[in-house]
Amino acid sequence: MALLYKSTRGDSKYITASQAILKGIADDGGLYVPEAIPKIDFKLDEILNMDYKALAYRVLRLVLDDFTEDELKYCINGAYDEKFDTPLIAPLKETADCGVLELFHGKTIAFKDMALSILPYLLKTSARKNGEDRQIVILTATSGDTGKAALEGFADVEGTGIIVFFPQDGVSDVQKKQMVTQEGRNTCVVGIKGNFDDCQTAVKKAFTDKALKEELAAKGYVFSSANSINIGRLAPQIVYYFYAYAQMVKAGRVKLGEKINFVVPTGNFGNILAGYYAKNMGLPVDKLICASNENKVLYDFFKTGEYNARREFILTSSPSMDILISSNLERLLYHLSDAETVSEKMKLLSSEGDYGFTAMDSSFIGEYSTEAETFAIIKEVFEKEGYVLDTHTAVAYNSYKKYVSESGDNTPAVVVSTASPFKFAKDVLAAIDEKYKSIDPFEAVRTLSEVSGTPVPAPIKDIEKRPVLHDICIEKEAIEGFIKAKLI
Ligand SMILES: *Cc1c(COP(=O)(O)O)cnc(C)c1O
């Protein structure tokens, strides 16, 4: 029986996985969810012998079940190849406290590569399967990492174009430089005078604007999304939870079949939601610890049942988690209630800025780390273990230690590491030693290499010398007008 997708907000049309990937977001503004989360059809011990690609196939065929074996294998082989700097794709490091799943070995050295290296293949295949021959325009709002990973994924992919909006003053210097130096005929990068939520809201609005859609259709364009609102982003992220589990078993940190906890540095709630899917597909997972930085809306939500986005937006050293409206939470709410409830809550969120929801799954634990705690744990782990955490991973690592000391729960755990420390070298160095506080951000990359004894990752080597190819900056109110002017 086919697995179908529907909107979280009640639009009653059921569509296939490939159609959901093409559309990105439902017409009623909801996100696509599988009508039921499929169960794994393999034994857990089988995953111990699978490489990343084989495992990806076994997991993805269940979730994206209208793709043929050939189609899926083509997508997987195209994505998880030498673009990654290790054949393991997502290696597990160990510290005295826990496993650390490194998801930053792709082209842009952040975890977004795990999904965005396969999304262009999934999207092109979906277009072919559904007879879509219009030019696909990818609209993307980014808090820093999605933008670059999507640009790398879609650059010069025939039949597609990509426009990325990022908060001009809300990303790290390396992140910004990575984006504005992007090559590719079909790429466009735009700075916004506003924060990530402003970018995301404007992009979501463009997606659901009927008049705009019709105008574009007449010109031969169709929108899709590379944000984690697209199910084609989410599905590939389920794979590495299984992969992490297999490595924990092989490392002897857990016995096959026993449960583990995952700790996930969270922003838009896509990564941790993939963990929830993995758990519900049959992976032995106990707690999913949702780690926030000082923008701790989710922490408060899990503690109190009130989601309250009416608060000051704080710029932190973990900018990819500086988010007050976590889009994918909507999907979790749907799985725990129904479309009517979700629709009502999302209306409240946009009109009042808050809503209540108490039917929470007890697997979820909210934790958070302050800036001071984040810096302190980077120093501590470096001094004790010689291992350098990036700022986002540090938020999670510290949240994990807080959780253990509060709960006494010593279930084996994996901290999901979402970025290379080189991407946030300046803050990481300042955490290790105050004397680096005012270091130039690009000098910091070379210095971190010396201090940590690891080479600068190729994707950002000498990045400051590359020519700037995109230098547009616009007001947040001008986003829709910009899209029109660009395409029509
Ligand atoms: C995107 C990102 C996050 C947040 O992930 P979500 O899926 O949005 O919750 C955390 N860390 C880094 C480095 C990221 O790029």
Side-chain angles (χ1 to χ4, degrees):
M1 216 180 56
L3 176 69
L4 294 174
Y5 284 78
K6 66 186 297 285
S7 166
T8 47
R9 297 193 194 172
D11 181 339
S12 54
K13 273 191 295 274
Y14 283 87
I15 60 176
T16 61
S18 65
Q19 287 165 343
I21 289 172
L22 269 181
K23 285 199 68 149
I25 190 167
D27 292 331
D28 61 0
L31 308 188
Y32 285 111
V33 278
E35 53 183 335
I37 299 173
K39 296 282 176 213
I40 51 172
D41 61 355
F42 47 85
K43 291 224 173 58
L44 217 46
D45 61 357
E46 291 179 64
I47 69 176
L48 300 179
N49 301 317
M50 291 183 205
D51 66 7
Y52 198 85
K53 287 185 201 172
L55 184 56
Y57 174 67
R58 294 304 296 269
V59 172
L60 287 179
R61 64 188 283 274
L62 302 172
V63 191
L64 307 177
D65 80 341
D66 70 320
F67 286 70
T68 65
E69 176 170 353
D70 281 350
E71 286 168 345
L72 264 188
K73 287 189 169 163
Y74 160 76
C75 294
I76 291 167
N77 289 335
Y80 304 112
D81 61 7
E82 292 73 34
K83 284 192 285 298
F84 287 78
D85 68 11
T86 159
L88 291 174
I89 309 294
L92 185 89
K93 291 285 150 64
E94 295 181 68
T95 68
D97 302 309
C98 55
V100 179
L101 182 69
E102 293 188 348
L103 300 179
F104 53 78
H105 289 273
K107 256 183 150 172
T108 74
I109 64 174
F111 99 99
K112 302 296 194 293
D113 292 324
M114 300 303 297
L116 282 163
S117 51
I118 191 169
L119 184 66
Y121 291 94
L122 294 174
L123 201 59
K124 289 278 290 181
T125 307
S126 299
R128 203 179 52 232
K129 289 173 80 67
N130 292 282
E132 175 61 76
D133 51 16
R134 287 173 291 182
Q135 163 109 350
I136 300 169
V137 179
I138 305 294
L139 287 188
T140 296
T142 185
S143 54
D145 291 330
T146 292
K148 180 62 182 179
L151 287 162
E152 279 294 341
F154 284 98
D156 291 326
V157 172
E158 219 184 295
T160 72
I162 173 164
I163 309 178
V164 169
F165 298 100
F166 72 96
Q168 181 73 18
D169 300 314
V171 301
S172 83
D173 300 282
V174 173
Q175 284 178 315
K176 185 168 174 175
K177 194 80 184 178
Q178 278 184 301
M179 287 190 278
V180 299
T181 58
Q182 178 66 43
E183 296 180 353
R185 286 174 282 106
N186 61 342
T187 64
C188 175
V189 181
V190 186
I192 299 300
K193 294 179 194 153
N195 61 38
F196 171 71
D197 288 322
D198 297 326
C199 298
Q200 172 155 273
T201 304
V203 165
K204 272 196 181 171
K205 208 166 127 236
F207 271 121
T208 46
D209 182 332
K210 269 215 175 92
L212 179 63
K213 234 193 304 200
E214 280 163 17
E215 261 180 278
L216 287 173
K219 294 275 172 190
Y221 292 110
V222 57
F223 281 146
S224 191
S225 166
N227 282 101
S228 54
I229 54 178
N230 194 321
I231 198 77
R233 263 284 298 279
L234 210 52
Q237 296 181 176
I238 300 170
V239 176
Y240 52 71
Y241 284 90
F242 284 89
Y243 194 66
Y245 186 86
Q247 292 183 82
M248 285 289 277
V249 172
K250 285 195 261 191
R253 288 187 91 108
V254 65
K255 284 205 199 72
L256 190 72
E258 284 177 3
K259 289 185 176 176
I260 65 173
N261 292 340
F262 280 99
V263 194
V264 187
T266 296
N268 228 350
F269 209 74
N271 197 354
I272 196 166
L273 186 72
Y276 174 78
Y277 282 168
K279 173 174 172 146
N280 284 279
M281 288 176 80
L283 187 70
V285 176
D286 190 18
K287 299 295 186 213
L288 291 160
I289 298 160
C290 172
S292 299
N293 63 24
E294 289 180 3
N295 295 291
K296 58 183 185 55
V297 186
L298 289 167
Y299 168 80
D300 294 339
F301 175 61
F302 288 122
K303 281 275 181 290
T304 66
E306 190 201 3
Y307 193 97
N308 186 348
R310 281 176 295 130
R311 60 178 79 200
E312 195 195 340
F313 186 99
I314 303 168
L315 291 176
T316 72
S317 61
S318 44
S320 302
M321 297 160 70
D322 290 346
I323 291 176
L324 298 181
I325 298 174
S326 295
S327 295
N328 281 290
L329 186 62
E330 177 170 347
R331 286 191 164 109
L332 178 63
L333 300 190
Y334 175 85
H335 291 301
L336 301 177
S337 64
D338 52 54
E340 206 182 316
T341 307
V342 172
S343 184
E344 180 197 319
K345 304 295 179 197
M346 292 304 120
K347 274 199 198 106
L348 279 173
L349 181 62
S350 86
S351 62
E352 313 292 322
D354 71 359
Y355 62 83
F357 184 92
T358 45
M360 194 32 71
D361 181 315
S362 62
S363 318
F364 285 93
I365 306 279
E367 277 293 351
Y368 80 102
S369 300
T370 63
E371 286 289 272
E373 288 170 331
T374 303
F375 277 50
I377 196 80
I378 291 174
K379 186 178 171 72
E380 183 187 319
V381 173
F382 177 65
E383 285 175 355
K384 276 199 194 145
E385 312 255 357
Y387 186 67
V388 188
L389 301 168
D390 102 285
T391 46
H392 303 74
T393 310
V395 166
Y397 203 102
N398 183 71
S399 295
Y400 172 59
K401 296 199 76 157
K402 268 174 137 167
Y403 167 71
V404 172
S405 75
E406 285 160 13
S407 66
D409 177 3
N410 49 26
T411 304
V414 171
V415 167
V416 177
S417 175
T418 49
S420 158
F422 283 98
K423 203 157 185 178
F424 303 93
K426 184 173 172 337
D427 285 325
V428 168
L429 270 183
I432 289 172
D433 192 330
E434 274 223 347
K435 75 179 184 205
Y436 296 117
K437 237 168 110 181
S438 313
I439 193 170
D440 167 80
F442 299 103
E443 185 56 39
V445 171
R446 288 182 289 273
T447 307
L448 182 59
S449 172
E450 285 156 26
V451 170
S452 65
T454 31
V456 175
I460 60 162
K461 200 155 185 248
D462 296 328
I463 191 173
E464 73 272 31
K465 295 188 192 130
R466 292 180 210 163
V468 171
L469 302 173
H470 308 266
D471 62 354
I472 307 165
C473 180
I474 63 174
E475 303 289 338
K476 62 185 182 206
E477 293 78 17
I479 293 183
E480 186 160 334
F482 180 88
I483 297 169
K484 276 194 189 169
K486 181 92 193 154
L487 300 173
I488 299 174

